[in-house]
Amino acid sequence: MDFITPLISIIDRLCTATASRASRVINLDRSMHSLTAELNELMDKRDDLTTRLERAELDGSRRTNEVQRWLARVEVIEAEAASIMENFGQGRQGLGCFNPSCCSKYNMSTEMIEKLKDISELKGKGNFERLVTEPRPAIVEEKPCKPAIGIGVMLDKVWEFLEEEKVGIIALYGMGGVGKTTLLKTINNAFLSSDHNFDVVIWVLVSKEFVVSKIQQSIVARLGLPWADSEAHELLTSKIYNVLKKKRFLLLLDDVWEGIDLGDIGIPLPNDENKCKLIFTTRSMDVCSDMDAHRKLKVELLNDEKSWQLFCEKVGRMDVLESPPIRTYAKTIVRKCGGLPLALITVGRAMANKETEEEWKYAIELLNKSPSELRGMEDVFTLLKFSYDNLENETAKMCFLYCSLFPQSYSIVKEQLVEYWIAEGFLDSSYDSNAYNKGYAAIGSLKVAFLLETGEEETQVKMNDVIRSFALWIASGYGVNKGNFFVEASLGLTEAPGIKNWEGAQRVSLLDNAITRLEEVPMCPNLLTLLLQWNNCLNRIPDDFFQSMSALRLLDLSFTSIRRIPVSIGQLLELRHLNLTATKIATLPKELGSLAKLVHLNLLRTYSLRTIPPEAITGLSKLVVLNLYYSYGRWKIQNSNCEDEVGFEVLETLTQLRFLGLTISTVTSLHRLSGIRSLVKCIQYLFIKECEGLHQLELSTLGYGKLLSRLSINDCNELNYLVVDGEAGENWLPNLEVLALYGLPNLISVWKTPLREASLQNLRLLNIWYCHRLKNVSWISLLPRLEAIYLFYCKALEALVSEDEKLEPDSKSFSRLKTISIRDLPALRIITPLALTFSFLKNIAVIDCPKLKKLSIRTAHNSATLPTVHCSKDWWEGLEWEELNTKNAFLTNFTSN
């Protein structure tokens, strides 16, 4: 019986194990259900995690290694579970624990239990604090940017600059709306597809509200560095510097309004050692200098062809634009956009759905009178207003607005503009050099801000059409008070607008029209400026026209045909500036003498002026400027009883006089004038005509030296030469800009003694006609600023510069000369004794110079910069050329008269 107890124990364990195995086999379905449910939960967790990862990875973030391993383990578990499920489906036919498949079902059950443990453990590990690492910055981040028209040439130039090793900082400058940001975005995006050596390209929008910390945060974020809002400035600076000093970077700064201290931000200075580059955009040339730009590229306005292309693209209706009437209106609208891309885009979109002639005509009317009312244009003006607001002071702003009184794209003489500003009180009203300098500085500031640009000549400025419309919008209180500036200049008006349009206006501009007469008498108590010049047909103004303009400060009637000045002129007691240039007046009214505040009286080229009553002058106690150049010259001789003539003694009473332009017609008057020091020292313009008995003009003796800027001598038949004494000759006539000699048949030489190098340093224009004994003007080779030479009808002239002069091939003579015009010089053989390089020469006109066989010009530059030659075809074909290449180079620049 001893063997029974161990046997019972063995049987008991066997039964227990068998029961356990049987239980697993019997509960196999329940285990499969649990496995399926747990696996589904794991898959849901995996899917949710994947969705979160995809969202997090949009900014360039990368999933952590822990997450990556978990997902890989989930993939393995999923495959293993799927295998178990597949085996389970195939073995469902086997029943009973002694069935041959019972063992395999037991094994399957064991696998299920183990897999359930694995799944449960994996689910528990699927809760992560961080799914992704910080994003790894892309080398270049694409900026949204549409293809731009007309920037190809500028892009090529930028690439050239980037290739220059010593160029680290590049400025792209230009007016608001011209496309600087578009150009910079195009540069940025070009690095997405091109091979380059930069480790990172960084874009930062600076904007007008410049804050260093904002720029730093942009750079830190772009580099993928951690930072906090509370982080100290010095720490951020150090962090940025320590990263960038190890990288070759390209930094793009958009919309910079002031100089930026790169070191203060943490940016290493780009140079040829670190090979880094900085490109920035700005509206100010001053910022280019403040940023120490190595290269500066002006983003230009679009030309006519590109403007039309951009406009058509935005209108998008070529069927409409190709209609002849509408095409004409469209071309007008494009011109009014002044080549400014932003305006072309805005107006083009506004016109996209306009199909009738009337709609297009109305758009032109709006652009002429109320451009802000055209859809989208106010947004353009708001953008431009940033430049206006950034002007340094209110003086600059007023000077800017004043320029809108002139017609579209009208070239305004700088000197005239400054004189207007002085009269208006924007500048010092003293008319001294400080006031003029201040005015020229204001012009410079406006040019630097691209609110003005250079006109047809360097002495002129003009205003872009869109900028002018913007200025009028500002002047009208943003379109609220349109009558403040009443401007209808260059509109072809034949009648003056109704006087109701003038009432309440502070400034009225009707210049450059075809108005013939002013009929109505306006009531304008607030009027400060009235511009009526260049109405060539205007010949009548009512006598009482000025009676209700008590505040008027500036009146311009120049280049009209008026023959008499209304007597109501005497009621303009606030008048400071009166311009009567090139009018046909014969007499100055006595009432003029009532203008006690008049500072500037311009009677230039009033050829018909014969009578100046003393009373018209003596009351002008504050007169600073009096210009009678090419005007009244019948100066009263002392003790003369002629009441219609005024004498120099009347001018002597003008104690504030600083600028004087005079016409002298007798030797007696000339000698008398030379003894009046108070007048001589003021003379800037001097016209001497028909002085019989004048053999030599002794300028030094007469004391005309420091201020004289224009000297014209006509029809003095006995004059032999001009005299400047040796003592003063070192630096004589330092401000003379224009010298005109006409009808001097006995002039042997312009100067009695050889000209010294220090003299005539500012002479720009030389005009000589009918001087038949003159053989050369060799002294012109010493003039550093000479821009134009006109030599007409001088029978004996053999050379401009004689063969006796020692000129070198690399001579700097004529370095600024732009124009040579010669006519009817039968003896002329040479221009200069050897060929010179005329760097700035634009035009040569040759008429009736049969002995001239050579052009003394070296072709050191390409044909695109060669001067245009205006001449007869026969003379051109008879020219002798030392080199055929020289002739070929000129062929495209030859124009037959």
Side-chain angles (χ1 to χ4, degrees), residues 42-43 46 49-50 53 63-80 122 128:
L42 180 64
M43 294 302 99
R46 190 243 358 237
L49 184 66
T50 301
L53 280 172
R63 59 190 66 181
T64 64
N65 292 333
E66 183 184 17
V67 170
Q68 189 67 25
R69 284 193 298 271
W70 186 85
L71 288 171
R73 181 66 181 147
V74 168
E75 188 176 345
V76 171
I77 292 294
E78 182 183 15
E80 291 174 350
L122 201 55
F128 302 99

Side-chain angles (χ1 to χ4, degrees), residues 603-622:
L603 294 160
L604 173 69
R605 299 189 185 279
T606 48
Y607 303 107
S608 302
L609 187 58
R610 294 288 181 271
T611 304
I612 300 181
E615 300 93 328
I617 300 295
T618 52
L620 307 179
S621 58
K622 292 190 177 180

Side-chain angles (χ1 to χ4, degrees), residues 244-258:
L244 288 183
K245 73 178 182 180
K246 300 172 186 176
K247 292 182 180 291
R248 185 173 179 180
F249 64 83
L250 169 61
L251 179 60
L252 307 176
L253 300 179
D254 188 33
D255 201 21
V256 179
W257 286 82
E258 60 185 89

